[in-house]
PDB file of all heavy atoms in Angstrom:
ATOM      1  N   LEU A 249      12.549  -9.139  20.384  1.00 92.00           N
ATOM      2  CA  LEU A 249      12.685  -9.101  18.967  1.00 92.00           C
ATOM      3  C   LEU A 249      11.373  -8.255  18.497  1.00 92.00           C
ATOM      4  O   LEU A 249      11.553  -7.329  17.660  1.00 92.00           O
ATOM      5  CB  LEU A 249      12.679 -10.366  18.283  1.00 92.00           C
ATOM      6  CG  LEU A 249      12.815 -10.366  16.720  1.00 92.00           C
ATOM      7  CD1 LEU A 249      13.987  -9.535  16.307  1.00 92.00           C
ATOM      8  CD2 LEU A 249      12.826 -11.748  16.170  1.00 92.00           C
ATOM      9  N   SER A 250      10.253  -8.613  18.849  1.00 92.00           N
ATOM     10  CA  SER A 250       8.984  -8.077  18.409  1.00 92.00           C
ATOM     11  C   SER A 250       8.990  -6.523  18.887  1.00 92.00           C
ATOM     12  O   SER A 250       8.507  -5.713  18.113  1.00 92.00           O
ATOM     13  CB  SER A 250       7.729  -8.766  19.068  1.00 92.00           C
ATOM     14  OG  SER A 250       7.780  -8.737  20.455  1.00 92.00           O
ATOM     15  N   LEU A 251       9.440  -6.254  20.136  1.00 92.00           N
ATOM     16  CA  LEU A 251       9.481  -4.916  20.587  1.00 92.00           C
ATOM     17  C   LEU A 251      10.435  -4.058  19.696  1.00 92.00           C
ATOM     18  O   LEU A 251      10.203  -2.942  19.425  1.00 92.00           O
ATOM     19  CB  LEU A 251       9.813  -4.840  22.051  1.00 92.00           C
ATOM     20  CG  LEU A 251       9.395  -3.606  22.930  1.00 92.00           C
ATOM     21  CD1 LEU A 251       7.918  -3.333  22.688  1.00 92.00           C
ATOM     22  CD2 LEU A 251       9.818  -3.880  24.356  1.00 92.00           C
ATOM     23  N   ALA A 252      11.578  -4.610  19.487  1.00 94.00           N
ATOM     24  CA  ALA A 252      12.595  -3.852  18.659  1.00 94.00           C
ATOM     25  C   ALA A 252      12.161  -3.566  17.307  1.00 94.00           C
ATOM     26  O   ALA A 252      12.298  -2.499  16.846  1.00 94.00           O
ATOM     27  CB  ALA A 252      13.873  -4.812  18.652  1.00 94.00           C
ATOM     28  N   LEU A 253      11.402  -4.669  16.718  1.00 95.00           N
ATOM     29  CA  LEU A 253      10.745  -4.381  15.295  1.00 95.00           C
ATOM     30  C   LEU A 253       9.761  -3.275  15.362  1.00 95.00           C
ATOM     31  O   LEU A 253       9.744  -2.635  14.357  1.00 95.00           O
ATOM     32  CB  LEU A 253      10.244  -5.679  14.802  1.00 95.00           C
ATOM     33  CG  LEU A 253      11.256  -6.778  14.442  1.00 95.00           C
ATOM     34  CD1 LEU A 253      10.606  -8.049  14.029  1.00 95.00           C
ATOM     35  CD2 LEU A 253      12.181  -6.322  13.257  1.00 95.00           C
ATOM     36  N   THR A 254       9.034  -3.220  16.447  1.00 95.00           N
ATOM     37  CA  THR A 254       7.994  -2.218  16.608  1.00 95.00           C
ATOM     38  C   THR A 254       8.676  -0.851  16.573  1.00 95.00           C
ATOM     39  O   THR A 254       8.217   0.026  15.881  1.00 95.00           O
ATOM     40  CB  THR A 254       7.179  -2.414  17.780  1.00 95.00           C
ATOM     41  OG1 THR A 254       6.481  -3.671  17.796  1.00 95.00           O
ATOM     42  CG2 THR A 254       6.109  -1.270  18.017  1.00 95.00           C
ATOM     43  N   TYR A 255       9.667  -0.635  17.398  1.00 96.00           N
ATOM     44  CA  TYR A 255      10.413   0.586  17.547  1.00 96.00           C
ATOM     45  C   TYR A 255      10.945   1.014  16.208  1.00 96.00           C
ATOM     46  O   TYR A 255      10.898   2.194  15.749  1.00 96.00           O
ATOM     47  CB  TYR A 255      11.444   0.619  18.590  1.00 96.00           C
ATOM     48  CG  TYR A 255      10.952   0.432  20.067  1.00 96.00           C
ATOM     49  CD1 TYR A 255      11.742  -0.167  21.092  1.00 96.00           C
ATOM     50  CD2 TYR A 255       9.632   0.687  20.302  1.00 96.00           C
ATOM     51  CE1 TYR A 255      11.179  -0.303  22.362  1.00 96.00           C
ATOM     52  CE2 TYR A 255       9.108   0.416  21.650  1.00 96.00           C
ATOM     53  CZ  TYR A 255       9.944  -0.014  22.620  1.00 96.00           C
ATOM     54  OH  TYR A 255       9.508  -0.286  23.883  1.00 96.00           O
ATOM     55  N   VAL A 256      11.713   0.064  15.631  1.00 97.00           N
ATOM     56  CA  VAL A 256      12.329   0.422  14.268  1.00 97.00           C
ATOM     57  C   VAL A 256      11.239   0.725  13.249  1.00 97.00           C
ATOM     58  O   VAL A 256      11.521   1.669  12.489  1.00 97.00           O
ATOM     59  CB  VAL A 256      13.158  -0.897  13.914  1.00 97.00           C
ATOM     60  CG1 VAL A 256      13.715  -0.627  12.479  1.00 97.00           C
ATOM     61  CG2 VAL A 256      14.383  -1.040  14.890  1.00 97.00           C
ATOM     62  N   GLY A 257      10.220  -0.037  13.172  1.00 97.00           N
ATOM     63  CA  GLY A 257       9.177   0.174  12.242  1.00 97.00           C
ATOM     64  C   GLY A 257       8.579   1.539  12.419  1.00 97.00           C
ATOM     65  O   GLY A 257       8.390   2.309  11.445  1.00 97.00           O
ATOM     66  N   ILE A 258       8.403   1.987  13.631  1.00 97.00           N
ATOM     67  CA  ILE A 258       7.779   3.357  13.891  1.00 97.00           C
ATOM     68  C   ILE A 258       8.761   4.435  13.522  1.00 97.00           C
ATOM     69  O   ILE A 258       8.419   5.472  12.776  1.00 97.00           O
ATOM     70  CB  ILE A 258       7.519   3.507  15.421  1.00 97.00           C
ATOM     71  CG1 ILE A 258       6.188   2.630  15.774  1.00 97.00           C
ATOM     72  CG2 ILE A 258       7.335   4.949  15.805  1.00 97.00           C
ATOM     73  CD1 ILE A 258       5.876   2.545  17.112  1.00 97.00           C
ATOM     74  N   ILE A 259      10.056   4.224  13.839  1.00 97.00           N
ATOM     75  CA  ILE A 259      11.121   5.197  13.457  1.00 97.00           C
ATOM     76  C   ILE A 259      11.236   5.371  11.942  1.00 97.00           C
ATOM     77  O   ILE A 259      11.355   6.456  11.494  1.00 97.00           O
ATOM     78  CB  ILE A 259      12.437   4.905  14.153  1.00 97.00           C
ATOM     79  CG1 ILE A 259      12.214   5.020  15.737  1.00 97.00           C
ATOM     80  CG2 ILE A 259      13.562   5.681  13.631  1.00 97.00           C
ATOM     81  CD1 ILE A 259      13.442   4.354  16.424  1.00 97.00           C
ATOM     82  N   VAL A 260      11.145   4.177  11.274  1.00 97.00           N
ATOM     83  CA  VAL A 260      11.388   4.266   9.851  1.00 97.00           C
ATOM     84  C   VAL A 260      10.202   4.804   9.150  1.00 97.00           C
ATOM     85  O   VAL A 260      10.225   5.539   8.179  1.00 97.00           O
ATOM     86  CB  VAL A 260      11.759   2.832   9.266  1.00 97.00           C
ATOM     87  CG1 VAL A 260      11.642   2.738   7.847  1.00 97.00           C
ATOM     88  CG2 VAL A 260      13.046   2.484   9.845  1.00 97.00           C
ATOM     89  N   LEU A 261       9.026   4.402   9.534  1.00 97.00           N
ATOM     90  CA  LEU A 261       7.699   4.801   8.859  1.00 97.00           C
ATOM     91  C   LEU A 261       7.300   6.240   9.138  1.00 97.00           C
ATOM     92  O   LEU A 261       6.600   6.864   8.343  1.00 97.00           O
ATOM     93  CB  LEU A 261       6.610   3.872   9.311  1.00 97.00           C
ATOM     94  CG  LEU A 261       6.548   2.560   8.382  1.00 97.00           C
ATOM     95  CD1 LEU A 261       5.401   1.732   8.961  1.00 97.00           C
ATOM     96  CD2 LEU A 261       6.314   2.885   6.958  1.00 97.00           C
ATOM     97  N   LYS A 262       7.662   6.778  10.381  1.00 97.00           N
ATOM     98  CA  LYS A 262       7.110   8.049  10.739  1.00 97.00           C
ATOM     99  C   LYS A 262       7.486   9.111   9.603  1.00 97.00           C
ATOM    100  O   LYS A 262       6.657   9.977   9.261  1.00 97.00           O
ATOM    101  CB  LYS A 262       7.541   8.537  12.076  1.00 97.00           C
ATOM    102  CG  LYS A 262       7.228   9.928  12.558  1.00 97.00           C
ATOM    103  CD  LYS A 262       5.627   9.833  12.787  1.00 97.00           C
ATOM    104  CE  LYS A 262       5.181  11.262  13.378  1.00 97.00           C
ATOM    105  NZ  LYS A 262       3.769  11.295  13.631  1.00 97.00           N
ATOM    106  N   PRO A 263       8.836   9.195   9.294  1.00 97.00           N
ATOM    107  CA  PRO A 263       9.052  10.252   8.188  1.00 97.00           C
ATOM    108  C   PRO A 263       8.365  10.054   6.879  1.00 97.00           C
ATOM    109  O   PRO A 263       8.034  10.976   6.175  1.00 97.00           O
ATOM    110  CB  PRO A 263      10.612  10.077   7.981  1.00 97.00           C
ATOM    111  CG  PRO A 263      11.153   9.431   9.297  1.00 97.00           C
ATOM    112  CD  PRO A 263      10.022   8.581   9.690  1.00 97.00           C
ATOM    113  N   ILE A 264       8.146   8.820   6.489  1.00 97.00           N
ATOM    114  CA  ILE A 264       7.295   8.440   5.275  1.00 97.00           C
ATOM    115  C   ILE A 264       5.866   8.908   5.380  1.00 97.00           C
ATOM    116  O   ILE A 264       5.434   9.639   4.476  1.00 97.00           O
ATOM    117  CB  ILE A 264       7.398   6.929   5.015  1.00 97.00           C
ATOM    118  CG1 ILE A 264       8.860   6.611   4.729  1.00 97.00           C
ATOM    119  CG2 ILE A 264       6.484   6.559   3.805  1.00 97.00           C
ATOM    120  CD1 ILE A 264       9.103   5.019   4.591  1.00 97.00           C
ATOM    121  N   VAL A 265       5.208   8.590   6.546  1.00 97.00           N
ATOM    122  CA  VAL A 265       3.779   9.076   6.584  1.00 97.00           C
ATOM    123  C   VAL A 265       3.656  10.545   6.823  1.00 97.00           C
ATOM    124  O   VAL A 265       2.674  11.167   6.305  1.00 97.00           O
ATOM    125  CB  VAL A 265       3.128   8.245   7.735  1.00 97.00           C
ATOM    126  CG1 VAL A 265       2.927   6.786   7.398  1.00 97.00           C
ATOM    127  CG2 VAL A 265       3.748   8.389   9.117  1.00 97.00           C
ATOM    128  N   THR A 266       4.638  11.144   7.492  1.00 96.00           N
ATOM    129  CA  THR A 266       4.648  12.571   7.547  1.00 96.00           C
ATOM    130  C   THR A 266       4.771  13.202   6.138  1.00 96.00           C
ATOM    131  O   THR A 266       3.984  14.201   5.906  1.00 96.00           O
ATOM    132  CB  THR A 266       5.807  13.024   8.606  1.00 96.00           C
ATOM    133  OG1 THR A 266       5.529  12.567   9.874  1.00 96.00           O
ATOM    134  CG2 THR A 266       5.864  14.515   8.561  1.00 96.00           C
ATOM    135  N   SER A 267       5.780  12.735   5.442  1.00 96.00           N
ATOM    136  CA  SER A 267       5.880  13.307   4.224  1.00 96.00           C
ATOM    137  C   SER A 267       4.805  13.084   3.213  1.00 96.00           C
ATOM    138  O   SER A 267       4.391  13.985   2.411  1.00 96.00           O
ATOM    139  CB  SER A 267       7.240  12.652   3.578  1.00 96.00           C
ATOM    140  OG  SER A 267       8.309  12.769   4.493  1.00 96.00           O
ATOM    141  N   ALA A 268       4.279  11.891   3.258  1.00 96.00           N
ATOM    142  CA  ALA A 268       2.891  11.562   2.432  1.00 96.00           C
ATOM    143  C   ALA A 268       1.774  12.566   2.864  1.00 96.00           C
ATOM    144  O   ALA A 268       1.095  12.938   2.022  1.00 96.00           O
ATOM    145  CB  ALA A 268       2.527  10.145   2.669  1.00 96.00           C
ATOM    146  N   THR A 269       1.665  12.730   4.145  1.00 96.00           N
ATOM    147  CA  THR A 269       0.527  13.748   4.607  1.00 96.00           C
ATOM    148  C   THR A 269       0.814  15.027   4.078  1.00 96.00           C
ATOM    149  O   THR A 269      -0.159  15.657   3.612  1.00 96.00           O
ATOM    150  CB  THR A 269       0.588  13.808   6.199  1.00 96.00           C
ATOM    151  OG1 THR A 269       0.407  12.400   6.705  1.00 96.00           O
ATOM    152  CG2 THR A 269      -0.423  14.768   6.647  1.00 96.00           C
ATOM    153  N   LEU A 270       1.927  15.572   4.137  1.00 94.00           N
ATOM    154  CA  LEU A 270       2.283  16.889   3.731  1.00 94.00           C
ATOM    155  C   LEU A 270       2.187  17.023   2.068  1.00 94.00           C
ATOM    156  O   LEU A 270       1.628  17.989   1.609  1.00 94.00           O
ATOM    157  CB  LEU A 270       3.590  17.412   4.180  1.00 94.00           C
ATOM    158  CG  LEU A 270       3.879  17.548   5.681  1.00 94.00           C
ATOM    159  CD1 LEU A 270       5.333  17.840   6.015  1.00 94.00           C
ATOM    160  CD2 LEU A 270       2.814  18.561   6.271  1.00 94.00           C
ATOM    161  N   ALA A 271       2.700  16.006   1.426  1.00 94.00           N
ATOM    162  CA  ALA A 271       2.801  16.003  -0.064  1.00 94.00           C
ATOM    163  C   ALA A 271       1.357  15.974  -0.636  1.00 94.00           C
ATOM    164  O   ALA A 271       1.082  16.488  -1.784  1.00 94.00           O
ATOM    165  CB  ALA A 271       3.673  14.921  -0.554  1.00 94.00           C
ATOM    166  N   SER A 272       0.483  15.290   0.074  1.00 94.00           N
ATOM    167  CA  SER A 272      -0.896  15.072  -0.408  1.00 94.00           C
ATOM    168  C   SER A 272      -1.915  16.163  -0.016  1.00 94.00           C
ATOM    169  O   SER A 272      -3.066  16.066  -0.281  1.00 94.00           O
ATOM    170  CB  SER A 272      -1.461  13.735  -0.019  1.00 94.00           C
ATOM    171  OG  SER A 272      -1.407  13.472   1.412  1.00 94.00           O
TER     172      SER A 272
END
């Protein structure tokens, strides 16, 4: 469960932090 949450968290957050990096 912890590993699955890690993978899902990374997949979900990567587009957000990429977008925040570019937009800022």
